[in-house]
């Protein structure tokens, strides 16, 4: 999984033209990484889970940066790019199918990650209950002013 992640990161580091040529490979490796992420989340140790979540967040950041760079290079807004990416006519059949599968998988992973975070937070709250707070009592001026 580490080699696969490093390969994805290396692909994102390529020049724009080379990245475009290898876009299918980037999608395939990303999908494979996400599938392995699912396996680690269900079967891995806490350390493995934490490690894969860190990698997934790094990958998400790389994708965000790529999206921003594309917006700037094409002089398009996020909404315009979203509109273009939702038009099947802009892709080959294989690219479209992979794109739809990727979107679906990423959406599912995001939901599962949010659920995992909620569960971890609830677990942390249950293991560290807050101590009862002491009530503050009001004292009149007479308690601190002497005549």
């Amino acid at each position: 999984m580490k080699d696969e992640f490093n390969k994805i990161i290396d692909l994102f580091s390529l020049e724009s033209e080379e990245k475009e040529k290898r876009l299918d490979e980037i999608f395939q490796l990303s999908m494979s990484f996400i599938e392995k992420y699912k396996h680690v989340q269900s079967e891995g140790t806490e350390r493995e889970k934490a490690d894969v979540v860190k990698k997934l967040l790094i990958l998400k950041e790389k994708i965000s940066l790529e999206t921003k760079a594309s917006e700037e290079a094409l002089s398009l807004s996020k909404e315009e790019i979203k509109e273009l990416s939702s038009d099947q006519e802009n892709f080959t059949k294989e690219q479209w199918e992979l794109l739809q599968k990727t979107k679906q998988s990423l959406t599912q992973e995001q939901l599962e990650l949010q659920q995992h975070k909620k569960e971890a937070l609830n677990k942390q709250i249950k293991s560290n209950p807050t101590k009862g707070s002491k009530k503050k009592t009001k004292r009149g001026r007479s308690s601190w002013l002497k005549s």
Side-chain angles (χ1 to χ4, degrees):
M1 183 173 216
K2 185 177 182 178
D3 291 336
E4 190 171 48
F5 175 76
N6 290 335
K7 188 169 184 177
I8 294 168
I9 298 301
D10 288 345
L11 287 170
F12 275 114
S13 301
L14 295 172
E15 293 296 321
S16 294
E17 287 182 29
E18 187 62 27
K19 260 189 280 196
E20 284 181 36
K21 291 177 188 174
R22 299 179 74 179
L23 193 56
D24 287 341
E25 183 181 359
I26 293 170
F27 274 132
Q28 292 289 348
L29 284 171
S30 297
M31 287 301 299
S32 178
F33 179 80
I34 289 169
E35 289 300 317
K36 289 179 181 175
Y37 162 82
K38 286 181 187 179
H39 176 73
V40 170
Q41 286 299 341
S42 64
E43 306 291 329
T45 65
E46 289 303 313
R47 183 181 175 131
E48 289 170 330
K49 289 176 184 180
D51 184 50
V52 79
V53 166
K54 285 179 190 175
K55 288 178 179 177
L56 192 61
L57 291 173
I58 291 168
L59 184 56
K60 181 181 175 186
E61 181 64 24
K62 288 283 186 186
I63 291 170
S64 258
L65 291 172
E66 286 297 317
T67 302
K68 194 173 193 175
S70 295
E71 290 170 9
E72 291 172 5
L74 298 171
S75 299
L76 297 173
S77 69
K78 283 183 182 183
E79 292 77 23
E80 291 169 321
I81 290 177
K82 190 174 182 178
E83 189 176 317
L84 287 172
S85 69
S86 64
D87 186 356
Q88 188 173 353
E89 297 298 316
N90 294 325
F91 303 92
T92 66
K93 182 180 178 185
E94 294 79 20
Q95 288 173 332
W96 180 253
E97 288 172 359
L98 182 59
L99 183 61
Q100 295 310 306
K101 184 178 177 184
T102 303
K103 283 181 182 179
Q104 182 181 17
S105 185
L106 288 174
T107 300
Q108 181 63 33
E109 288 307 314
Q110 186 175 22
L111 292 172
E112 289 175 13
L113 183 59
Q114 288 172 348
Q115 182 63 34
H116 180 70
K117 285 180 181 180
K118 285 180 185 177
E119 290 170 0
L121 181 60
N122 287 336
K123 186 176 180 181
Q124 183 181 15
I125 290 171
K126 287 179 182 177
S127 67
N128 295 325
T130 57
K131 296 180 181 178
S133 59
K134 295 181 181 178
K135 291 185 178 180
K136 293 182 179 180
T137 57
K138 291 184 179 181
R139 294 190 214 182
R141 275 185 104 161
S142 61
S143 66
W144 56 272
L145 267 182
K146 292 187 180 182
S147 7

